[in-house]
Amino acid sequence: LQVFAVAEQLDHDSAPGLDGTRALGVLSYAHALSPQFSVRGLLRLERNDAAQANAAFSAWDVGMGATYLFRGGLRIGMDVTWREAQFDGPSFAFGATRRDEQLSATLRMSHSQINFAGFAPELEVSHTRRNSNIFVYSFDELSARVGLIKQF
């Protein structure tokens, strides 16, 4: 179980309308159902009180995931996250108050028998789709990442 909160003051020299306070709270939980299989969940709440109402927002995320370690060392993990954000005021350019809905899915793969100085390569593939009532903030993104990990 992990619980944490962050409160910070944001100051932007070149964009003072974005200045304000940001508060973030996260609750996450991970549980090993067996030596091979673990599940996890996430709840995240965020509030950004920017000076300009069109930059101030409230958002929440909920996510869940699982990882399975196959015989022979292959490890596969999958995470899915849903996010909604509601902005406080209308956009200067579009005249509407922005609302976003975002779905992200990530697949991670590594193999414990393949390593370099104790670090295993990990492949991560992610897809994110954001739908916004202001079209310029909507997108589909597909990304891949290769990195090195060490599990303890």
Side-chain angles (χ1 to χ4, degrees), residues 74-145:
L74 177 64
R75 180 186 310 265
I76 296 179
M78 174 93 184
D79 290 281
V80 177
T81 304
W82 176 259
R83 176 180 172 90
E84 290 190 12
Q86 173 70 46
F87 288 74
D88 291 0
S91 163
F92 296 130
F94 299 99
T97 301
R98 182 175 160 192
R99 290 181 313 280
D100 296 344
E101 295 178 343
Q102 182 171 304
L103 179 65
S104 300
T106 302
L107 177 69
R108 287 179 197 83
M109 293 186 298
S110 64
H111 200 291
S112 64
Q113 301 300 315
I114 303 169
N115 68 71
F116 306 100
F119 290 87
E122 180 181 61
L123 171 65
E124 179 180 289
V125 178
S126 295
H127 179 259
T128 300
R129 171 174 287 172
R130 178 189 293 163
N131 293 317
S132 180
N133 64 319
I134 299 177
F135 72 95
V136 296
Y137 297 108
S138 295
F139 65 84
D140 271 306
E141 176 185 73
L142 181 62
S143 63
R145 178 187 66 82

Side-chain angles (χ1 to χ4, degrees), residues 12-120:
H12 301 82
D13 292 337
S14 61
L18 301 179
D19 292 352
T21 57
R22 176 178 176 253
L24 172 69
V26 177
L27 172 66
S28 63
Y29 180 73
H31 183 71
L33 297 174
S34 74
Q36 294 82 26
F37 185 58
S38 64
V39 294
R40 57 196 161 270
L42 167 78
L43 176 62
R44 181 176 183 261
L45 302 172
E46 181 177 4
R47 176 68 194 155
N48 187 329
D49 281 319
Q52 287 178 205
N54 67 334
F57 67 89
S58 297
W60 63 273
D61 301 45
V62 62
M64 56 191 236
T67 298
Y68 191 82
L69 176 61
F70 292 89
R71 192 175 310 186
L74 177 64
R75 180 186 310 265
I76 296 179
M78 174 93 184
D79 290 281
V80 177
T81 304
W82 176 259
R83 176 180 172 90
E84 290 190 12
Q86 173 70 46
F87 288 74
D88 291 0
S91 163
F92 296 130
F94 299 99
T97 301
R98 182 175 160 192
R99 290 181 313 280
D100 296 344
E101 295 178 343
Q102 182 171 304
L103 179 65
S104 300
T106 302
L107 177 69
R108 287 179 197 83
M109 293 186 298
S110 64
H111 200 291
S112 64
Q113 301 300 315
I114 303 169
N115 68 71
F116 306 100
F119 290 87

